[in-house]
Each structure stands twice: as structure tokens, then as C-alpha cells.
Amino acid sequence: MSSEGAPDGNFIASAGPLTVNLGGKGKVEDHMAAATELHFKSAAELARMIQSREISSRELLEHFIARTVLHNPKINAIVASDFDAAREKALAADEALARGEVWGPLHGLPMTIKDAYEVKGLTSTGGSPEYEDHVPERSAAPVERIEKAGANIFGKTNVPFLSGDLQTFNDVYGTTNNPWNLACGPGGSSGGSAAALAAGLTGLEIGSDIGGSIRTPAHLCGVFGHKSTFGIIPKRGHISPPPGHLAEGDLSVAGPLGRSAEDLDLLLSIVAGPDEIASEGWKLDLAPARATSPKNLRVAVWIDDPFCDIDTESAALLNNAAKALEDAGAKVDWSARPDFTLEWSNEVYLTLLHSITASRFPETVKQRLSDMRAKLPADDRSHLSLQARGANISYADRLVWHEHQARLKAAWVDFFRDYDVVLAPMLMRPAFPHDQQSNWHKRRIAVNGKEREYFDVLIWAGPAMVAHLPASVAPVGLTSEGLPVGVQIIGPHFGDRTTIAVAGMLEELLGGFRAPPGF
């Protein structure tokens, strides 16, 4: 976390856990008076403005710094920074552009990075007190690609402890609030990323997703997010696992967040591709979108399911999104389903997920789950049962579950012969109040006036996750309480361009990103 000196005449302001230095004289508002709406433009548009010299990189950086000073104390989204270094890079970007040099598609664009990713020279904690003083000497793989594309990284955004929750809080930086309702969380684990984008504090973000960690915050904060096809973006330098680890898991992925579908496509093009080891033997060549307008699009709608009740207002907004595509010419099937149940997909997903997440549990917790597993009835399919079984799974048993996973993938292949995308919920409801009980099994989440287990927040994250499919989230409207709702757009394996294209269609039809009141 930076603590910057104050030259004479500079304005110093406290912004939650980070200390910022606003270069130049005057009040915060003075820095924003000339371009009030800059902060809500898409990253793609801001990048074009810099390269066409409508605005300088330094001016845009100061604008976002001013926004951070003014609004970050309310939401605590940006938690570490180095504005002095960012100012030097912004000046260098402007000087390079004056010489006719363009560093890349993100030339001079100010942006932040989820604190799960290591950024060279910036404190990178992963939300863990153990890494509170960790300042990497090398950036994570996707961050290196972002830097090479010319971006100017000025800060880090908050995460849960080791990115292991659907709410964003930790003992290093505290709690991040949702810009739409400060009493609610922004989702997790890319909660700081989505909150900063929604509040207009940053130009672009990259998240990671193993349990909806890109898609859920995008849904809850009213921005766009994309969970990439598994394996197309290397994650070396992501915390967890601990810093220095090279092996990657078999579910988690990286992916972009932004204020437009175009932003998702832009950043995906920059960060996707083989890692250093594989780059000698293969290259990524994603297929173009299956459809570029609703008239050529085949849509399946999977919004209602007996296994997971959806908030009625959210369901209405999701159905309205499907109807908008249908009215625009898309072929929409309101009853199509892949050849498996949501319940079965969820069991396969959670068993594999818990086998991964339990690897970092203390031995005492692992033993308690092992003791619990021995006492469980064979037909118990509760979340606690799935966690206990997954946490203690043998290698031989895990191979059996990998076969179940392969069969789910095969069922999706058959399904996507007839459909281009599936529209589904991301979560059963819009933003919900903070609940920071350490025991997830004691937490509850209300849906249509009834309490559900907190682990149910993972249900709709599962189908795309366990089958390694791409899935984009696009905002589709607000509830009567003024909370955003996003639709999940699931596509075929390597169909990332297709799901992002459909997010763009919905953006055009329904208006896309909206700014939260007061920001």
C-alpha cells in the first residue's frame, strides 16, 4: 500500500485504506469539472480518445485519481496504489504518442488490477495478512500482457481472503461495499474490480473465476464480465496458490470486466493465448462469433429450474432480455435444456470444487471434514455433505468425477449443435446485505421471502464452470429497489466471441451499463 509524499501545494486526501496524492493545486472537484462523464465511458472509447489525442493519458489518470479520492472511501474498492509511478508512465505515454509511437491497444489507459494478481512493484496480498508486505518482482502472466499492451496500472482492487468467498472482505483491507447499496456486498471474489468499474474509479479490470468470481460481481454491480473458456488465459502469478507457484488448477480461469461488451472483447484479445511453455507448440485461434445480430442467433432460455428458485423480479428481467432478442429476430427456445439436470451438474461441480479449495484448509479442518464424511448417509446430497466428500476425495475417486465432468462436456457439445447460447441466471437474486460469519454453513440468503443455504450462491456458477465453457454477464435492468441484474450467457467450448457478441446485442437492445446514483 502506498504512502506518498506531498510536494508544496499538492492536495492530500485519505481514501479508506489508501493514501493518495492529488498532483496540482485545488479541490478534488476541480480535477473533474472539465470531463464529468469520462469515468463512465468504456475502456475501448477511452483508449481511442487517448490515441486520437482528445485527452492525454495524464489528464485521464488525474481524473480517475480524483474520482478515487472522492468516492473510494464509501466503497473501499481500490486498496493499494502507486500514483507517482502511474503519473510517470502517463507522461511517458503522452510523450511517446507525440512522437508517433503507440505502445499497444491500451496505450496510456489508466486501470486497476484485482489484488489476486501479482503486479510488479505493487503490494499484492491476495487478501491474506500473510502476504501483507508482498511486493512482487514480476507481474502475473495476464498482467504482463496488459502492461505490454500499454496500460497504466495505478492500483489494486479488493478481494476476499485468498479469493475464497462471494463477498469481498479481508483482514488486510476490510470490506468493499456495493455502489448501488452500501449495505450490500459487490460480490466476490472480483468484488473490488466490479465495484470500482461501477463507481467510475477505473478504466478496465481483469478478474478470476472458479465459483462465479467474475460473473457474480458483474451481475451484482451492473457491469460486464466474462469467464473465459478454461485454459486460454494463463494464470501464473495468481494468489492463491502462494506466490511462486507455477501449477494451475483445473477449474479456475481469468477473464475481463468492463463497462461494455467491447471492453470484454478488447481485453480478451490481449490476455488470451498459450503460456510460455506451450507457446512454442500451439497458438490460440478463437472462432468468430456464431452470430453478429439477433436475426442469425439461436437462443435457449434456462431461467426457471425446480432445483433453484429465482427471485421473481430478477426472473422477469432475465425473461425480458430473452424477449428483447426474440423481438429483434432471434430464434428463442423457452424450454430447451441440455441432457442432464442442474442438480447433477451442481453435484459434479461442487465435488470437484471442494477437492480444490480444501487443499488450503488447515489440517484440523480437513480432519473434521473427514470425520464428518465417515458418518454421512450415502444419499446425503447437502452442501455440507458435498464439501466433506470433496475435501477428502481420493485420486481414484477424482478420476471417476472427471469422467462425470467429461460426460457433462459431451452433453453440452450435443446441445450447442442446435443452439448458439443459453441465457441463464448468474445468482438467484440481486445484491444482498453483508454477512461475514466465518462459518458459511450458518449464513443464509433470502430468495422470494424464504431463506436458503448460502452455498446456493454457487449453483448457477456451476454449469459453465464444470464444463469449462465460456460465459459472459451483461446488465439487463434494475429491480424496483434499484439494484442491477445481469444475465449469464453460456456458449460452446471456445465460443468466447459468441457469448461476448450476445452481450453486445443485449447492450444495444437494453441500454447496457448504468451509473449508480451518487457516483
Side-chain angles (χ1 to χ4, degrees):
M1 185 167 60
S2 68
S3 179
E4 303 175 24
D8 291 343
N10 283 1
F11 178 79
I12 305 294
S14 174
L18 82 109
T19 302
V20 298
N21 177 358
L22 219 60
K25 298 181 180 180
K27 298 179 179 179
V28 173
E29 289 80 359
D30 294 338
H31 288 262
M32 303 184 334
T36 306
E37 296 302 322
L38 271 175
H39 42 274
F40 290 133
K41 292 183 183 295
S42 70
E45 185 173 359
L46 292 173
R48 285 191 289 267
M49 290 177 68
I50 290 173
Q51 292 190 35
S52 65
R53 303 180 72 172
E54 293 178 59
I55 189 170
S56 70
S57 176
R58 178 63 188 265
E59 287 170 331
L60 188 55
L61 173 65
E62 295 298 345
H63 184 77
F64 279 126
I65 291 175
R67 294 279 301 172
T68 299
V69 172
L70 186 63
H71 292 295
N72 196 58
K74 291 180 285 189
I75 59 173
N76 189 34
I78 298 176
V79 292
S81 70
D82 188 344
F83 293 128
D84 285 344
R87 287 184 174 115
E88 291 178 6
K89 185 164 185 178
L91 180 60
D94 291 334
E95 290 174 345
L97 203 58
R99 297 191 299 268
E101 300 174 10
V102 178
W103 294 342
L106 301 181
H107 182 104
L109 178 74
M111 65 177 289
T112 50
I113 298 289
K114 179 180 180 178
D115 194 33
Y117 289 104
E118 293 182 303
V119 176
K120 182 180 179 179
L122 267 179
T123 302
S124 301
T125 74
S128 171
E130 182 179 357
Y131 309 126
E132 193 168 3
D133 299 318
H134 175 55
V135 180
E137 297 181 359
R138 182 182 180 183
S139 294
V143 178
E144 286 182 334
R145 295 175 181 186
I146 289 168
E147 292 170 326
K148 186 176 180 181
N152 187 0
I153 298 169
F154 67 89
K156 306 293 293 295
T157 49
N158 206 20
V159 296
F161 174 73
L162 295 179
S163 296
D165 200 342
L166 263 289
Q167 298 180 78
T168 295
F169 64 94
N170 60 65
D171 291 338
V172 183
Y173 296 122
T175 300
T176 298
N177 300 319
N178 192 314
W180 289 90
N181 184 332
L182 301 182
C184 295
S189 59
S190 309
S193 304
L197 283 165
L201 309 187
T202 187
L204 192 60
E205 261 283 356
I206 183 166
S208 52
D209 194 321
I210 193 173
S213 289
I214 291 171
R215 295 164 290 159
T216 298
H219 154 67
L220 295 177
C221 293
V223 298
F224 291 80
H226 180 70
K227 172 212 150 336
S228 57
T229 295
F230 177 80
I232 70 170
I233 303 173
K235 287 180 68 254
R236 188 262 309 149
H238 186 278
I239 308 171
S240 59
H245 277 229
L246 298 180
E248 299 186 16
D250 55 8
L251 281 179
S252 179
V253 302
L257 293 103
R259 284 185 290 267
S260 73
E262 186 181 11
D263 289 355
L264 303 184
D265 192 66
L266 171 65
L267 191 52
L268 180 69
S269 298
I270 291 166
V271 298
D275 64 16
E276 293 175 331
I277 296 174
S279 61
E280 293 296 321
W282 67 273
K283 66 177 182 178
L284 181 67
D285 186 16
L286 291 175
R290 288 188 176 189
T292 55
S293 76
K295 292 181 180 180
N296 302 314
L297 186 66
R298 302 168 300 170
V299 180
V301 180
W302 189 4
I303 292 172
D304 60 316
D305 193 283
F307 184 63
C308 191
D309 189 27
I310 302 299
D311 166 72
T312 53
E313 281 197 65
S314 299
L317 289 167
L318 298 178
N319 280 299
N320 181 65
K323 187 67 166 60
L325 287 172
E326 187 175 53
D327 290 345
K331 180 181 178 182
V332 177
D333 189 326
W334 296 83
S335 59
R337 298 288 184 273
D339 190 21
F340 55 82
T341 65
L342 181 60
E343 183 175 12
W344 173 239
S345 175
N346 185 64
E347 182 173 349
V348 178
Y349 166 57
L350 289 183
T351 301
L352 293 173
L353 175 68
H354 288 309
S355 73
I356 296 169
T357 57
S359 64
R360 61 177 182 252
F361 286 176
E363 289 303 319
T364 53
V365 176
K366 292 179 183 178
Q367 185 59 52
R368 188 163 64 246
L369 289 169
S370 179
D371 295 342
M372 184 184 303
R373 181 187 182 185
K375 300 174 183 178
L376 288 169
D379 60 349
D380 188 342
R381 295 294 183 270
S382 66
H383 288 294
L384 187 57
S385 170
L386 295 177
Q387 184 180 37
R389 288 190 170 95
N392 293 279
I393 199 169
S394 68
Y395 180 72
D397 284 344
R398 203 168 196 276
L399 291 179
V400 174
W401 287 101
H402 272 304
E403 175 63 21
H404 294 319
Q405 181 186 33
R407 290 176 183 269
L408 289 173
K409 290 182 179 181
W412 277 116
V413 170
D414 288 340
F415 188 79
F416 282 122
R417 289 191 176 99
D418 298 318
Y419 303 95
D420 299 315
V421 294
V422 178
L423 300 189
M426 188 56 239
L427 196 64
M428 313 91 68
R429 57 160 297 155
F432 53 92
H434 298 291
D435 183 353
Q436 298 182 2
Q437 296 181 79
S438 59
N439 186 341
W440 277 35
H441 296 286
K442 293 183 178 180
R443 298 181 189 176
R444 293 292 181 267
I445 185 168
V447 179
N448 293 328
K450 299 178 182 178
E451 286 193 345
R452 299 187 61 133
E453 290 186 78
Y454 184 73
F455 267 109
D456 284 355
V457 297
L458 296 170
I459 290 176
W460 284 105
M465 199 81 241
V466 71
H468 290 169
L469 300 177
S472 302
V473 165
V476 295
L478 304 176
T479 67
S480 60
E481 294 183 350
L483 295 174
V485 170
V487 65
Q488 181 177 197
I489 307 156
I490 303 172
H493 205 226
F494 296 115
D496 298 70
R497 303 290 188 203
T498 295
T499 65
I500 291 173
V502 175
M505 296 176 202
L506 289 169
E507 180 181 12
E508 184 174 345
L509 292 169
L510 300 175
F513 170 78
R514 306 182 193 187
F519 287 90

